[in-house]
């Protein structure tokens, strides 16, 4: 009988977007660029910094640039949700650069949510409040962490421009939504059908079907 895996202390499972066929419209939503990298939950507790993957694996040793910038943040403690990214020569995030580990020292974090700050659990706060607080926390952050800004405009228009730029897609989020671990209907993702991420997913699905 397999033992149930124990998650590390201080780890909070990330909020996951739900796939959608079309971006939402209206004032209730904000839209973020979806970057092609590794999901990371970054935790600072005093002088100690830990980076966790989506399922809770320790990534601290892999991304020194993020660790250094987290350690320099002014708050005593914080938990930040974001995407570990490394850009190619064209300035677009490249998943392969992160996956194959040839550029670990150059990987940085696009931070898009703040879960905890100085011992205060922020998960019940509205998204727009958490993001405003995050922007303030990162105002003097080093080059290892960048604030993933959002756009308050028509969703389909934002998605169209993201596709034209060759980006992976967008994530649309309800402004007033709390932070919930697991799949959320308040976060919707739309992927560029021509992005490398879509081709990669198709190949992975084909491989799974072939070996079942």
């Amino acid at each position: 009988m397999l033992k149930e895996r124990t998650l590390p202390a201080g780890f909070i499972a990330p909020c996951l977007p739900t796939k959608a066929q079309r971006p939402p419209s209206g004032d209730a939503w904000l839209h973020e660029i979806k970057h092609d990298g590794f999901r990371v939950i970054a935790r600072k507790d005093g002088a100690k910094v830990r980076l966790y993957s989506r399922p809770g694996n320790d990534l601290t040793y892999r991304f020194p640039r993020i660790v250094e910038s987290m350690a320099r943040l002014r708050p005593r403690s914080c938990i930040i949700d974001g995407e570990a990214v490394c850009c190619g020569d064209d300035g677009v995030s490249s998943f392969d650069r992160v996956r194959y580990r040839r550029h670990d020292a150059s990987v940085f974090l696009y931070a898009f949510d703040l879960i905890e700050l100085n011992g205060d659990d922020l998960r019940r706060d509205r998204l727009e409040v958490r993001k405003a607080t995050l922007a303030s926390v990162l105002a003097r952050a080093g080059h290892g962490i960048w604030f993933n800004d959002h756009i308050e405009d028509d969703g389909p228009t934002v998605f169209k421009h993201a596709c034209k730029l060759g980006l992976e897609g967008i994530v649309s989020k309800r402004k007033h939504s709390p932070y919930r671990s697991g799949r959320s209907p308040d976060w919707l993702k739309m992927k560029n059908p021509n992005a490398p991420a879509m081709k990669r997913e198709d190949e992975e699905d084909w491989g799974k079907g072939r070996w079942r």
Side-chain angles (χ1 to χ4, degrees):
M1 183 177 179
L2 294 175
K3 291 184 178 180
E4 187 174 346
R5 181 169 172 267
T6 302
L7 293 173
F11 170 72
I12 294 177
C15 182
L16 304 175
T18 300
K19 288 183 180 180
Q21 296 298 318
R22 178 177 172 80
S25 298
D27 296 337
W29 299 87
L30 58 80
H31 313 280
E32 299 172 348
I33 295 299
K34 190 177 189 308
H35 301 282
D36 199 3
F38 280 17
R39 186 71 174 272
V40 165
I41 298 293
R43 183 171 188 260
K44 178 188 178 185
D45 186 5
K48 184 178 180 181
V49 173
R50 286 288 182 269
L51 307 180
Y52 299 109
S53 69
R54 173 174 154 178
N57 297 319
D58 195 336
L59 296 176
T60 311
Y61 67 99
R62 286 196 54 175
F63 306 132
R65 192 176 182 185
I66 299 175
V67 172
E68 181 181 355
S69 291
M70 282 291 295
R72 290 182 176 180
L73 293 179
R74 299 183 70 180
R76 179 183 72 258
S77 70
C78 61
I79 300 177
I80 294 174
D81 189 0
E83 193 86 359
V85 167
C86 187
C87 294
D89 296 334
D90 56 359
V92 176
S93 57
S94 169
F95 182 80
D96 284 346
R97 287 198 172 204
V98 182
R99 175 169 58 175
Y100 293 124
R101 304 205 53 193
R102 301 190 187 104
H103 303 272
D104 280 0
S106 300
V107 173
F108 62 94
L109 186 72
Y110 266 127
F112 49 71
D113 216 322
L114 183 62
I115 301 172
E116 181 264 336
L117 180 64
N118 290 330
D120 293 331
D121 188 340
L122 305 183
R123 285 176 287 182
R124 292 186 179 182
D125 291 355
R126 301 190 310 273
L127 171 64
E128 57 186 352
V129 173
R130 299 195 308 272
K131 290 209 69 172
T133 306
L134 177 62
S136 178
V137 168
L138 299 180
R140 296 183 180 180
H143 292 298
I145 308 176
W146 293 89
F147 179 65
N148 194 38
D149 211 343
H150 57 270
I151 302 168
E152 298 186 39
D153 204 337
D154 178 61
T157 301
V158 176
F159 180 62
K160 182 179 179 180
H161 283 297
C163 291
K164 282 185 177 180
L165 292 172
L167 302 174
E168 183 186 354
I170 66 171
V171 178
S172 300
K173 302 176 180 179
R174 290 189 186 274
K175 295 179 184 178
H176 292 177
S177 61
Y179 190 97
R180 296 189 181 96
S181 296
R183 195 70 61 185
S184 172
D186 293 325
W187 290 21
L188 304 178
K189 64 179 178 180
M190 283 66 55
K191 289 193 174 184
N192 176 1
N194 298 316
M198 289 297 290
K199 181 180 179 181
R200 185 175 67 247
E201 288 183 4
D202 290 342
E203 290 173 347
E204 290 172 353
D205 290 340
W206 178 84
K208 291 176 183 177
R210 183 184 181 190
W211 297 110
R212 278 174 183 160

